[in-house]
Amino acid sequence: MLTLKQSRRLQTVLIATLAWLVALAIFFPIFWMILTSFKTEIDAFATPPQLFFTPTLENYVHIDERSDYFHFAWNSVVISFGSTLAGMLLAVPAAYSMAFFETKRTKSTLLWMLSTKMLPPVGVLVPIYLLFKDAGLLDTKTGLVIIYTLINLPIMVWMVYTYFKEIPKDILEAARLDGATPAQEIYRVLLPIGKGGLASTVLLSLILCWNEAFWSLNLTASSAAPLTAMVASYSSPEGLFWAKLSAVSTLACAPILIFGWLSQKQLVRGLSFGAVK
Amino acid sequence: MSISTVQDGVSAVSAPGPTTVKADRQLHNRVGLLTVSPSVLALLVWMIVPLAMTIYFSLIRYNLLYPGDNEFVGLENYYFFLTDEGFVHGALNTLWLVGATLLISVVAGVLIAVLVDTPFWGRGIVRVMLISPFFIMPTVSALVWKNLLLHPVSGVFAAVWNFFGATPVDWFAEYPLQAIILIVSWQWVPFAVLLLMTAMQSLDQEQKEAARLDGAGPIAIFWHITLPHLTRPIAVVVMIETIFLLSIFAEIFTTTGGGPGYETTNLAYLIYSQALLQFDVGMASAGGLVAVVIANIAAFILIRMIGKNLTEKA
């Protein structure tokens, strides 16, 4: 017969084992992708798949020769940070208004914003393509920044709104009595208090922009193409070169994956969307 | 702190003479309007301009292969789109894809979030591994699953099947839609885990402990304490994932191209193939509007169901 303490410990061991197994299973595809990127093409295609092999860097050398990784990566960085910045500049004042200047229409405005996010992008692809062509925005970073800002704006407004709502209104009231303008209220009071929540919003926006693959595939050709487009360019004609495909995929995901790992504590703390009290 | 007490506090504070109240209120409203309007205007333009153009295109004959022939055709494009064989498949596949992925990610998300809630050795690393797929771009996860894992000859799954003496399955030929659902779920379960894990942290441990002392088993605690606590986060997961799942595109584009036949064609992909593979902008625009209407019905139902949860504080 187990004592209570022993059964608790047994329980913890069981939970830990199960959690590790689930986590390893979920992580396996990523592990396998990275592993395959260091194989020769022959090893990559071997049956049964090999866990042990002589690692090689030839795939990465090949990618370096064939396409300019840093060109695509730079585009991804500029587009992601550019539209996140633009999105925050629009979303923070909007959320400020909704949280602290609530009117009868606030809730329906918020839900309307979210509903624009439900429009399938294909529904407006052709008009956007034509408008972009006329405006000279096709295959430009500016064009993608505009699109990404608009598609992520509703979620950003919503997130920032939920963080601002948790800030007691008397704090703003006090600042206002001291003669603070709205801009000062946001800059001096709300941003420092809401730092954590805003950081989570920025993180989520960066992840979504980095990985967006509909507009980037359809609106860019080469000069503004981000990493999603580079990966896609390796997919069709080279379906059989899996080691190279793995290497290019690893390169495309590595920056955001490392970034995500470093910031996961902030993400886990901040992604509540106001659903938790 | 609950919001209503805060509001009471504010109205109690700001109660000077009647004239300043009125001036204050006006200024107040103006600031509120000015700060929200850039976002509203941007989204309004983003919605109305392309939508108006789409409506116009949907009413004319507009095929990129026959420039100049842009006659007004009324509702012909809608008729052809709705009676097209692809439409029923597209609508049903969209429903399956969204429904199945939502179910999988909510159930798996809750179970995993509960599983990793108690401290154990290496929990930090386990968490990082669990949410990692959310950081992987859709094109990459689709290609990795298709070529490295699900490939019928050299994939890892085939090796496992062979190891147990079974015949490897050609997933994309035999169960194409299920294969796509698997890939999409792999990407979105981590998002549910991420949100629900956050929510679990605010669960009242004392309440759980009290229930345990009262003799409640783990399953009773899960049903009566944990699950009710997770209702709102689950609503948020459903809301956000639906938004993204309705327009799944890259995963289909890079794996099956909608095939075999129409088996993995969702509405997003169907419209894409009409516009950019068959060059029929008129019909694609009609399809786009049908998709917009369907998305709005879904949005309406969702908001009716869970919208209250999202904007109001319990």
Side-chain angles (χ1 to χ4, degrees), chain A:
Chain A
M1 187 68 194
L2 294 168
T3 66
L4 190 66
K5 204 174 169 191
Q6 277 172 322
S7 85
R8 279 265 173 105
R9 188 175 300 158
L10 183 69
Q11 204 185 339
T12 314
V13 169
L14 281 177
I15 287 175
T17 316
L18 193 58
W20 270 94
L21 286 177
V22 172
L24 287 172
I26 286 186
F27 189 71
F28 181 77
I30 299 172
F31 164 76
W32 197 250
M33 169 184 86
I34 298 171
L35 199 70
T36 308
S37 76
F38 292 108
K39 291 178 178 177
T40 61
E41 292 296 350
I42 295 164
D43 283 340
F45 200 78
T47 34
Q50 293 171 320
L51 197 55
F52 301 102
F53 56 92
T54 326
T56 168
L57 282 175
E58 66 179 41
N59 303 306
Y60 289 96
V61 173
H62 170 88
I63 290 164
D64 189 49
E65 282 163 4
R66 194 184 117 169
S67 50
D68 189 353
Y69 168 73
F70 289 102
H71 166 75
F72 294 101
W74 176 243
N75 283 343
S76 279
V77 169
V78 170
I79 294 164
S80 303
F81 279 88
S83 65
T84 299
L85 181 69
M88 287 306 274
L89 286 176
L90 287 169
V92 168
Y96 163 75
S97 166
M98 289 176 164
F100 300 108
F101 299 85
E102 211 175 338
T103 66
K104 279 183 302 226
R105 286 185 302 275
T106 298
K107 267 166 200 157
S108 46
T109 311
L110 188 63
L111 290 176
W112 168 75
M113 282 186 172
L114 283 173
S115 79
T116 65
K117 188 75 205 143
M118 293 213 172
L119 301 186
V122 267
V124 290
L125 173 62
V126 174
I128 293 291
Y129 188 89
L130 296 175
L131 286 173
F132 267 44
K133 203 171 78 180
D134 289 343
L137 287 171
L138 276 185
D139 200 17
T140 62
K141 291 194 268 292
T142 319
L144 278 190
V145 167
I146 294 173
I147 296 273
Y148 288 4
T149 303
L150 290 166
I151 59 176
N152 288 331
L153 186 57
I155 288 200
M156 294 170 85
V157 171
W158 181 24
M159 274 184 84
V160 180
Y161 164 78
T162 58
Y163 299 126
F164 280 180
K165 268 214 89 118
E166 283 164 19
I167 297 175
K169 290 191 181 176
D170 2 6
I171 293 181
L172 277 194
E173 208 64 35
R176 212 167 293 156
L177 289 177
D178 287 344
T181 64
Q184 284 171 329
E185 278 175 28
I186 294 183
Y187 189 70
R188 295 255 169 83
V189 183
L190 292 183
L191 293 194
I193 298 178
K195 228 169 22 196
L198 295 175
S200 305
T201 313
V202 166
L203 287 176
L204 187 69
S205 165
L206 287 175
I207 295 167
L208 291 177
C209 290
W210 190 275
N211 292 337
E212 202 287 333
F214 177 78
W215 293 105
S216 61
L217 289 179
N218 284 309
L219 294 182
T220 63
S222 60
S223 78
L227 288 167
T228 40
M230 180 175 97
V231 172
S233 78
Y234 275 79
S235 68
S236 29
E238 318 231 345
L240 285 176
F241 296 104
W242 294 341
K244 288 183 190 66
L245 190 66
S246 302
V248 82
S249 303
T250 306
L251 279 177
C253 294
I256 201 75
L257 200 56
I258 293 167
F259 181 76
W261 287 342
L262 293 178
S263 58
Q264 62 97 15
K265 277 224 170 81
Q266 180 58 45
L267 266 179
V268 173
R269 229 179 298 133
L271 266 193
S272 68
F273 288 93
V276 192
K277 279 306 300 182

Side-chain angles (χ1 to χ4, degrees), chain B residues 123-175:
Chain B
R123 185 165 67 149
I125 303 169
V126 163
R127 280 183 173 170
V128 166
M129 288 200 287
L130 284 172
I131 58 175
S132 288
F134 182 60
F135 303 131
I136 302 295
M137 47 184 76
T139 36
V140 166
S141 57
L143 288 169
V144 166
W145 275 93
K146 185 187 178 185
N147 296 326
L148 302 182
L149 300 173
L150 296 180
H151 192 276
V153 178
S154 63
V156 174
F157 278 57
V160 175
W161 258 244
N162 278 329
F163 181 79
F164 288 106
T167 318
V169 182
D170 188 354
W171 297 93
F172 282 100
E174 289 171 55
Y175 305 101

